[in-house]
């Protein structure tokens, strides 16, 4: 079997070399590929080989099937080909992150809505007389939670304190001083301002502030990190290639066509040098991409247990109930303190409006978050991180992957080395990354792309913020 393969390889090599040695008599094969690839009009495409003295990259001592105009079209096609291969290689990774970013955002939105419904249900079922007045404060509180999770620069401690501060006038007029209605705005403001001093809800606001801070921040950062991952991939998918890289890609991909060698593929070592040179800046992302995935793992771990966002949000109503119970128990003492600070209010007994909250309608989604369900946030995160780990070395091994899977000739077969069809590539093969390119015989790399530097800085920020 090995002898047959060797003979076949030798035969292919002889046939290819015959074409490259000046025995090319027709440009028909090159015309067919040019037409199939839709690289441009065939007008001006040579029928027979010609002297290629005007060619800048695909120059040859032998007659050629290329013109300067075709060379330009081939160069554009080579850049388009590599970008398409890059986008194909990252498609599954991009889909993984974007799908989960959308899913987690939708889940957080549902959790916020359910937690709001739980809290509204608490007032309707247990404290119906104050439900309508409390509804506005409950809605504002959960709006603030959503704003924080989805990126608005607000303080969790501030909006937690604001909720309990604005809730106290309602609790005072309905629970501590029943029948007290329509107090003046000035008196209500005095009650709100007095909340921090008389602490009607005990330690509950501090407990809520601590839980919200520790659960919402990791969730917010997690979403921001997922969106950054999508941005990184979009940036590297549309990388700008230097002039030297574009010429090297042309020489590797399409210069053989000028010699009628439409079926030849680049040697593995040659391909690695060209693609590692072109993707040198992208390889610099590798270390920071690995740190990014590690930071997502750390974030995921921080979102477990007592400070899991699902646990904190869906149990918020219990803490509100504890706060209300405590205020009711300490009612006489609180009333005395309020009278000292704000004075006695004018009583205007009125009938409290009933609760208009439709529990059955708004709680239809509760089954989705049953505690017995296997589809919890923690399981989703665990599954996502498990899939993402498979892409830890994505940027470090991308050039090798492209050459091995898409671009280069298989081992043992004749291949193109940039000038001729040979048995093997004899130049030194360089490593990945910018520093390694100083000895690259195929591509000159001048320095770091500022766009890549910017994306690396963003990755560093996420990593340093959390780790």
């Amino acid at each position: 079997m090995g002898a047959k393969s060797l003979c076949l390889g030798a035969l292919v090599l002889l046939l290819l070399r015959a074409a490259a040695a000046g025995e090319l008599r027709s440009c028909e094969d090159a015309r067919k590929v040019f037409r199939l690839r839709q690289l441009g009009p065939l007008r001006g495409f040579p029928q027979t080989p010609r002297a290629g003295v005007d060619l800048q990259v695909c120059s040859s001592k032998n007659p050629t099937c290329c013109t300067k105009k075709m060379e330009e079209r081939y160069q554009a096609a080579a850049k388009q080909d590599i970008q398409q291969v890059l986008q194909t290689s990252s498609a599954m990774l991009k889909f993984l992150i974007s799908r989960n970013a959308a899913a987690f955002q939708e889940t957080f939105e549902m959790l916020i809505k359910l937690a709001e419904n739980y809290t509204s249900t608490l007032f309707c079922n247990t404290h119906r007389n104050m439900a309508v007045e409390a509804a506005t404060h409950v809605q504002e509180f959960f709006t603030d939670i959503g704003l924080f999770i989805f990126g608005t620069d607000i303080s969790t401690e501030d909006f937690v304190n604001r909720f309990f501060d604005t809730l106290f006038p309602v609790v005072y007029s309905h629970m501590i001083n029943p029948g007290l209605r329509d107090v003046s705005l000035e008196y209500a403001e005095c009650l709100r301002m007095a909340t921090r001093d008389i602490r009607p809800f005990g330690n509950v606001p501090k407990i809520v502030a601590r839980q919200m801070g520790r659960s919402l921040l990791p969730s917010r950062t997690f979403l921001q990190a997922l969106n950054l991952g999508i941005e990184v991939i979009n940036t590297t998918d549309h990388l700008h290639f230097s002039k030297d890289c574009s010429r090297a890609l042309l020489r590797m991909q399409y210069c053989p066509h000028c010699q009628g060698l439409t079926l030849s593929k680049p040697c593995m070592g040659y391909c690695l040098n060209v693609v590692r040179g072109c993707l040198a800046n992208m390889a610099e992302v590798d270390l920071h991409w690995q740190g990014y995935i590690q930071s997502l793992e750390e974030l995921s771990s921080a979102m477990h247990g007592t400070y899991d966002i699902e646990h904190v949000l869906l149990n918020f109503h219990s803490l509100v109930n504890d706060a209300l119970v405590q205020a009711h128990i300490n009612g006489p003492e609180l009333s005395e303190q309020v009278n000292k600070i704000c004075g006695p209010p004018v009583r205007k007994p009125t009938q409290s409006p009933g609760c208009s909250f439709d529990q059955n309608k708004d709680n239809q989604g509760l089954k989705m978050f049953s505690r017995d369900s296997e589809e919890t946030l923690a399981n989703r995160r665990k599954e996502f991180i498990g899939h993402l780990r498979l892409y830890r070395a994505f940027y470090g091994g991308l050039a090798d992957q492209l050459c091995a899977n898409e671009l280069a000739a298989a081992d043992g077969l004749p291949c193109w080395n940039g000038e001729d069809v040979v048995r093997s590539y004899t130049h030194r093969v360089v490593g990945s990354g910018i520093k390694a390119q100083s000895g690259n015989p195929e591509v000159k790399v001048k320095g770091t792309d500022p766009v890549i530097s910017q994306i690396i800085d963003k990755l560093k920020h996420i990593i340093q913020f959390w780790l």
Side-chain angles (χ1 to χ4, degrees):
M1 190 70 178
K4 287 183 178 179
S5 299
L6 190 61
C7 289
L8 180 60
L11 179 60
V12 173
L13 182 62
L14 287 172
L15 291 172
L16 291 173
R17 276 185 167 169
E23 298 178 27
L24 180 63
R25 297 179 181 179
S26 170
C27 294
E28 186 58 30
D29 288 344
R31 285 173 62 89
K32 285 181 181 177
V33 174
F34 194 87
R35 183 175 65 249
L36 288 172
R37 291 292 315 277
Q38 298 181 341
L39 299 181
L42 288 174
R43 184 176 60 256
F45 198 113
Q47 297 285 346
T48 56
R50 57 182 283 278
V53 293
D54 56 340
L55 301 182
Q56 295 183 347
V57 180
C58 298
S59 56
S60 172
K61 297 176 182 178
N62 302 320
T64 178
C65 287
C66 285
T67 64
K68 185 177 180 182
K69 189 68 176 176
M70 288 172 56
E71 191 179 50
E72 292 172 359
R73 293 187 181 278
Y74 277 142
Q75 182 159 333
K79 288 172 65 176
Q80 185 178 354
D81 288 349
I82 194 71
Q83 285 183 329
Q84 187 172 3
V85 170
L86 283 173
Q87 291 169 20
T88 300
S89 299
S90 65
M92 288 303 295
L93 173 59
K94 184 177 178 179
F95 176 72
L96 172 67
I97 298 177
S98 58
R99 180 190 63 183
N100 278 278
F104 282 118
Q105 178 164 331
E106 183 181 358
T107 301
F108 290 151
E109 289 171 350
M110 180 63 77
L111 275 174
I112 293 168
K113 183 62 179 174
L114 289 176
E116 181 180 344
N117 291 351
Y118 272 178
T119 309
S120 298
T121 300
L122 166 71
F123 281 101
C124 281
N125 290 348
T126 312
H127 310 283
R128 193 176 186 84
N129 62 334
M130 68 175 83
V132 171
E133 287 184 61
T136 300
H137 308 306
V138 171
Q139 185 179 21
E140 287 177 352
F141 175 73
F142 285 101
T143 297
D144 284 336
I145 288 178
L147 289 172
F148 180 84
I149 289 179
F150 301 127
T152 303
D153 188 18
I154 56 177
S155 164
T156 53
E157 185 176 2
D158 285 351
F159 68 69
V160 168
N161 286 331
R162 184 164 57 249
F163 170 73
F164 285 104
D165 290 351
T166 55
L167 184 63
F168 179 54
V170 180
V171 172
Y172 184 78
S173 62
H174 288 281
M175 181 179 286
I176 297 173
N177 232 322
L180 181 65
R181 294 282 295 159
D182 295 336
V183 297
S184 67
L185 292 175
E186 291 80 5
Y187 195 80
E189 179 64 14
C190 182
L191 289 172
R192 190 186 70 80
M193 295 294 290
T195 305
R196 308 281 179 91
D197 294 326
I198 65 178
R199 299 177 65 240
F201 305 121
N203 288 326
V204 172
K206 287 186 177 180
I207 294 170
V208 172
R210 182 173 66 250
Q211 288 189 357
M212 290 294 169
R214 293 191 182 182
S215 67
L216 300 186
L217 182 58
S219 300
R220 166 193 174 117
T221 309
F222 191 78
L223 274 183
Q224 290 175 336
L226 294 188
N227 289 322
L228 174 58
I230 297 169
E231 183 183 349
V232 170
I233 297 167
N234 283 336
T235 300
T236 54
D237 273 356
H238 299 90
L239 193 66
H240 172 73
F241 294 108
S242 67
K243 183 178 180 181
D244 201 68
C245 166
S246 299
R247 292 165 67 93
L249 289 170
L250 165 61
R251 187 179 295 108
M252 181 179 80
Q253 303 261 117
Y254 287 102
C255 283
H257 292 215
C258 297
Q259 303 301 316
L261 306 174
T262 56
L263 298 179
S264 69
K265 283 192 167 188
C267 303
M268 177 59 76
Y270 175 47
C271 180
L272 288 174
N273 276 342
V274 171
V275 180
R276 283 177 179 174
C278 288
L279 304 188
N281 278 283
M282 199 181 294
E284 295 297 312
V285 177
D286 177 53
L287 181 64
H288 310 287
W289 180 256
Q290 293 187 43
Y292 162 78
I293 293 178
Q294 184 184 349
S295 70
L296 279 175
E297 292 182 42
E298 296 288 340
L299 273 170
S300 183
S301 298
M303 294 162 73
H304 284 301
T306 307
Y307 297 109
D308 176 85
I309 187 173
E310 186 175 7
H311 172 81
V312 169
L313 289 182
L314 297 186
N315 284 280
F316 170 72
H317 70 287
S318 298
L319 287 174
V320 172
N321 189 60
D322 291 345
L324 296 177
V325 169
Q326 186 155 346
H328 180 68
I329 292 173
N330 298 326
E333 180 184 342
L334 292 173
S335 186
E336 183 179 339
Q337 289 179 284
V338 167
N339 286 338
K340 287 181 181 178
I341 298 172
C342 300
V346 178
R347 292 178 177 276
K348 294 182 180 179
T350 58
Q351 183 66 36
S352 297
C355 179
S356 60
F357 177 67
D358 189 343
Q359 300 172 43
N360 293 328
K361 176 184 176 182
D362 289 331
N363 286 335
Q364 288 177 351
L366 292 180
K367 292 180 181 179
M368 294 173 58
F369 292 93
S370 168
R371 288 300 178 190
D372 297 328
S373 173
E374 293 182 2
E375 185 64 10
T376 64
L377 264 176
N379 287 333
R380 289 184 188 181
R381 286 194 303 268
K382 183 178 180 181
E383 182 181 0
F384 167 63
I385 294 297
H387 288 307
L388 191 61
R389 281 196 196 102
L390 301 177
Y391 295 91
R392 188 187 295 272
F394 175 75
Y395 284 105
L398 187 56
D400 301 55
Q401 177 189 332
L402 296 185
C403 287
N405 297 342
E406 302 282 346
L407 303 174
D411 288 342
L413 291 180
C415 54
W416 175 256
N417 69 353
E419 297 178 354
D420 198 359
V421 175
V422 296
R423 289 186 180 275
S424 62
Y425 182 70
T426 57
H427 291 297
R428 171 176 170 260
V429 179
V430 300
S432 298
I434 292 176
K435 289 183 179 179
Q437 304 313 307
S438 59
N440 194 324
E442 309 298 342
V443 185
K444 289 183 176 64
V445 179
K446 294 181 179 179
T448 306
D449 185 332
V451 175
I452 293 296
S453 296
Q454 187 177 30
I455 211 70
I456 286 174
D457 286 342
K458 290 184 179 182
L459 287 171
K460 283 180 179 179
H461 177 72
I462 282 288
I463 295 166
Q464 292 169 357
F465 178 82
W466 194 253
L467 292 183

